[in-house]
Amino acid sequence: LALYFHSGEREEKCIIEDIPSDTLVIGNYKVQRWDIHKQDFLESAPGLGMFVTVTTPSAEVLLSKLYGPQGTFSFTSYLSGEHVICLQSNSTRFVAFAGSKLRIHLDIRVGEHFLDESVVQAKDKVNEVNSRLEHLIEQIHHISKEQNYEREREEKFRKTSEETNSNILWWAIVQTLILISIGIWQIKSLRDFFISKKLV
């Protein structure tokens, strides 16, 4: 997931990421500040930091840390589900004057384990091949874990759909019985009315 979004100073922006359990998540970000004179975003925002907060599906804070204007954060999920990742600048200006526009570039990688470049560039080809194999095995484990998680979600969704369909069927049967009962009652009432008026 790579994106950028605009934010005001001290304004908190959050994204929701659905993550399987026991999965490494790495986030890279860069903050740019709007320059009113150049009418453009500056390449960087020196002196401005970002609070990064990560909340688990059970509303537990997994990560809460202050970083610089450009940085990398990482965490490992221990619950599967929707994790909320929030970023907020640490502007020291008063809220009334903190109107400067920020552009935040965010790149989130789920389940990636990066190769050690020092090993990759080493002359020892056996170590290089071994390192690449380990990296591929980790990626395979991650894909397998992701597939299992999606399978669990699909099974849960299917059960919910079946329960909903069953409830709709029973409600339709109850409605039909009610309509039939009302119809029989109306016919009986009309018959009794006609008999009492000696029309039949």
Side-chain angles (χ1 to χ4, degrees):
L1 173 66
L3 54 90
Y4 77 84
F5 51 88
H6 293 158
S7 171
E9 289 191 38
R10 302 181 73 176
E11 180 185 359
E12 186 177 55
K13 292 282 189 176
C14 298
I15 63 165
I16 297 173
E17 191 73 24
D18 204 351
I19 305 169
S21 60
D22 299 321
T23 302
L24 175 66
V25 178
I26 298 171
N28 294 299
Y29 72 88
K30 182 176 82 169
V31 184
Q32 295 175 295
R33 181 182 269 151
W34 176 258
D35 189 299
I36 197 167
H37 302 295
K38 294 183 178 180
Q39 290 293 302
D40 196 7
F41 287 97
L42 299 174
E43 188 56 35
S44 64
L48 194 65
M50 293 296 287
F51 284 108
V52 179
T53 307
V54 178
T55 309
T56 66
S58 61
E60 182 182 342
V61 176
L62 191 61
L63 173 69
S64 181
K65 192 173 177 182
L66 175 63
Y67 295 88
Q70 183 172 350
T72 301
F73 61 90
S74 64
F75 64 92
T76 302
S77 62
Y78 66 90
L79 283 175
S80 59
E82 294 181 342
H83 289 65
V84 181
I85 302 169
C86 297
L87 293 95
Q88 181 182 24
S89 69
N90 70 334
S91 174
T92 55
R93 297 193 288 177
F94 294 112
V95 176
F97 300 103
S100 180
K101 191 162 59 172
L102 303 174
R103 177 183 283 172
I104 302 169
H105 299 264
L106 182 61
D107 181 18
I108 294 178
R109 300 182 183 194
V110 178
E112 287 201 18
H113 297 269
F114 299 104
L115 286 168
D116 186 349
E117 290 301 323
S118 62
V119 175
V120 172
Q121 294 173 359
K123 292 180 180 178
D124 189 350
K125 292 295 180 184
V126 175
N127 286 343
E128 181 183 345
V129 171
N130 189 38
S131 175
R132 288 187 183 277
L133 279 174
E134 287 176 1
H135 181 258
L136 286 173
I137 290 168
E138 285 177 357
Q139 290 294 88
I140 290 167
H141 285 313
H142 170 67
I143 291 167
S144 175
K145 193 184 299 179
E146 190 81 37
Q147 286 178 334
N148 289 335
Y149 177 58
E150 292 300 328
R151 197 176 294 115
E152 288 171 10
R153 288 183 63 197
E154 191 272 334
E155 187 177 341
K156 186 179 178 182
F157 178 76
R158 191 177 66 248
K159 283 181 181 176
T160 305
S161 298
E162 287 172 357
E163 288 172 7
T164 304
N165 289 338
S166 175
N167 291 338
I168 290 171
L169 176 65
W170 281 111
W171 176 240
I173 291 170
V174 169
Q175 279 184 320
T176 305
L177 291 174
I178 290 171
L179 287 173
I180 291 171
S181 302
I182 291 172
I184 292 171
W185 177 77
Q186 284 180 331
I187 291 169
K188 186 178 181 303
S189 298
L190 279 171
R191 184 172 170 272
D192 292 344
F193 173 77
F194 289 142
I195 290 171
S196 65
K197 296 293 182 179
K198 297 182 179 178
L199 298 172
V200 177

